[in-house]
Amino acid sequence: MPMIEGGKILLDAGMSVRGWSFKQSMLMCAQEWAYTYPLQQRTETAPMVRGSLVHLGQAHYRARVMCDQNGWDPDVYYEPDEAIDIVADREDDRRASEGIAPMWGPLAPIAKTTVRNRRAADLAEGIPTIIAVEQLLGGWFNRVGMVDAPPDATHRLALMAGGVPGWTELAKLGAPYYHSARVDWIYKRAGYFWIADTKTAFKVDRTKIDGYAMSGQMHGLTWFGLQAYGSRFGGITIDFSVISTQKFPVHRMPSAPGAVRDFPAAICDAEERIAQYLLEGRDFTRYPKAFNEQACVRRYGPRCAHYERCRLGGLT
C-alpha cells in the first residue's frame, strides 16, 4: 500500500505478499526459502539497492505523469528525488542501528541520474497513457487456472500476514492458493493494455531476454492481464534501465503459451512443498539444499546470499 509521509504519497515499490519471489525461491532451493522468509536472513547487495532506488524513482515519475494526464494534482506524490532520499535515509538509519555501514545513500545519486535520463528518453519516444502505477494484484489458483475466491478468503489472507505461525495454519487448508503481484505500471497504446515491468541492468543481451521470457513473474502478470483486459491485453513489456550506458531499451516479452498454461501448477507445486515442510516442523536450517552451481551462484552478486551459511553450516 502507498504510505503517507509528510502529507504526500510515498509509493511502495517492494515485493507483494505472496508473489513469485516467495514461490520461486522454494522451487529453486528450499533452503534459500527457509533462510530468506521464515528466518529473515536477507543480505543487501549494491545492485539490489541501486535497482530498488531506481525502481522507486521511476514509479514516482510515472505516477506524477499519470496525474498530469488525468488533470489531477501531481504533488500528491513526492518528486522522484525526494522519494529516493526519504527511502535511502530510512534504510541507512536502519543499517546504522544494526551496526552496518550506509549503502542506500551512496547509491542515491546514480539512481536519481538514471531516473532523470529515463524520463528524458521517454519524452523523446512519447509517453503512452498511464493507467496505473505500482498496482497490487492477486488471485486464487488451483492446478488448472484461476478460480473464485474461497469462502474463507479473508481468513486465509490474514494467515499470510501472520508469519510462520500463520503460514503453518494456512498449510493445513490446501488449495486454492493465492498469488499476488505488484505491477510496476500499466499503460494503454493503440487500443491495447500493456503491463510493464521495470528492470535495471548493466547490459541487456539475448540471454537476459530469454531468461525473463520464462520467468514465472511474467507468466503471473500474463494471467492477471488476460483476466483484466481479455482480448484487449497486448502483453508484457520490460523497461530496462542500463546503468552502464544510461540507455533505456524496451523489450516485448515473446508469448509463452505452454509456460503460461502450466504456471498454475507451478504455484501449487511451490505452495504444497511449503506446506509439507512447515507441517513436518523441520528445522529451518535443515531444509533441502539445491547444491547446484547455478542456484548457488546468481545473477545479482557472485553468490546466493546464503552461500556461506550452506557451506559452513547453520546461521553463520
Side-chain angles (χ1 to χ4, degrees), residues 58 61-62 65 112-127 241 246-248:
Q58 290 191 13
Y61 140 58
R62 291 195 172 103
V65 171
K112 294 176 183 178
T113 296
T114 301
V115 174
R116 285 194 290 270
N117 289 339
R118 165 104 246 179
R119 177 162 45 190
D122 288 351
L123 287 170
E125 292 291 327
I127 300 174
S241 293
Q246 291 294 296
K247 301 295 185 183
F248 305 96

Side-chain angles (χ1 to χ4, degrees), residues 219-279:
H219 305 330
L221 293 176
T222 299
W223 272 94
F224 290 137
L226 289 170
Q227 179 199 41
Y229 300 113
S231 62
R232 295 181 300 158
F233 179 55
I236 309 293
T237 60
I238 295 185
D239 299 335
F240 286 101
S241 293
V242 184
I243 303 298
S244 58
T245 62
Q246 291 294 296
K247 301 295 185 183
F248 305 96
V250 176
H251 288 268
R252 177 181 177 179
M253 291 296 95
S255 63
V260 171
R261 178 200 63 208
D262 294 339
F263 182 67
I267 290 175
C268 294
D269 287 338
E271 291 285 0
E272 288 166 8
R273 291 183 198 180
I274 292 168
Q276 174 191 342
Y277 298 137
L278 288 174
L279 293 176

Side-chain angles (χ1 to χ4, degrees), residues 68-89:
D68 284 334
Q69 290 178 342
N70 287 279
W72 306 331
D73 180 9
D75 286 330
V76 299
Y77 293 96
Y78 282 104
E79 289 276 4
D81 284 8
E82 293 176 312
I84 289 170
D85 284 337
I86 290 169
V87 170
D89 290 345

Side-chain angles (χ1 to χ4, degrees), residues 182-196:
R182 192 181 305 280
V183 175
D184 290 341
W185 62 299
I186 301 172
Y187 63 93
K188 186 177 183 181
R189 175 170 276 159
Y192 288 91
F193 294 88
W194 298 81
I195 292 178

Side-chain angles (χ1 to χ4, degrees), residues 32-301:
E32 182 203 24
W33 181 88
Y35 277 138
T36 302
Y37 294 99
L39 293 177
Q40 295 288 301
Q41 298 294 308
R42 290 186 171 91
T43 301
E44 292 175 331
T45 66
M48 291 170 61
V49 169
R50 182 172 49 240
S52 294
L53 291 174
V54 170
H55 196 138
L56 174 70
Q58 290 191 13
H60 275 262
Y61 140 58
R62 291 195 172 103
R64 291 176 63 89
V65 171
M66 179 178 67
C67 289
D68 284 334
Q69 290 178 342
N70 287 279
W72 306 331
D73 180 9
D75 286 330
V76 299
Y77 293 96
Y78 282 104
E79 289 276 4
D81 284 8
E82 293 176 312
I84 289 170
D85 284 337
I86 290 169
V87 170
D89 290 345
R90 182 184 68 201
E91 294 302 315
D92 278 342
D93 285 346
R94 172 186 55 78
R95 290 174 65 89
S97 71
E98 298 169 357
I100 308 173
M103 178 182 286
W104 293 70
L107 293 170
I110 185 60
K112 294 176 183 178
T113 296
T114 301
V115 174
R116 285 194 290 270
N117 289 339
R118 165 104 246 179
R119 177 162 45 190
D122 288 351
L123 287 170
E125 292 291 327
I127 300 174
T129 301
I130 299 176
I131 304 300
V133 176
E134 297 303 328
Q135 182 170 341
L136 190 61
L137 301 178
W140 299 88
F141 287 80
N142 61 19
R143 287 195 165 270
V144 177
M146 294 188 75
V147 297
D148 292 338
D152 61 346
T154 301
H155 175 58
R156 289 174 182 246
L157 291 170
L159 291 176
M160 288 176 206
V164 172
W167 301 346
T168 304
E169 288 301 309
L170 183 66
K172 301 173 183 177
L173 302 179
Y177 298 109
Y178 189 73
H179 183 68
S180 60
R182 192 181 305 280
V183 175
D184 290 341
W185 62 299
I186 301 172
Y187 63 93
K188 186 177 183 181
R189 175 170 276 159
Y192 288 91
F193 294 88
W194 298 81
I195 292 178
D197 193 69
T198 298
K199 303 290 186 190
T200 56
F202 268 93
K203 68 174 183 177
V204 176
D205 54 19
R206 188 72 253 170
T207 298
K208 190 177 291 291
I209 299 300
D210 288 346
Y212 283 128
M214 282 298 290
S215 167
Q217 179 192 10
M218 304 307 156
H219 305 330
L221 293 176
T222 299
W223 272 94
F224 290 137
L226 289 170
Q227 179 199 41
Y229 300 113
S231 62
R232 295 181 300 158
F233 179 55
I236 309 293
T237 60
I238 295 185
D239 299 335
F240 286 101
S241 293
V242 184
I243 303 298
S244 58
T245 62
Q246 291 294 296
K247 301 295 185 183
F248 305 96
V250 176
H251 288 268
R252 177 181 177 179
M253 291 296 95
S255 63
V260 171
R261 178 200 63 208
D262 294 339
F263 182 67
I267 290 175
C268 294
D269 287 338
E271 291 285 0
E272 288 166 8
R273 291 183 198 180
I274 292 168
Q276 174 191 342
Y277 298 137
L278 288 174
L279 293 176
E280 285 176 2
R282 186 180 295 211
D283 182 336
F284 288 127
T285 66
R286 295 291 185 270
Y287 270 43
K289 298 173 174 62
F291 289 136
N292 177 282
E293 64 274 16
Q294 295 182 5
C296 299
V297 180
R298 301 294 176 77
R299 180 184 297 158
Y300 301 113

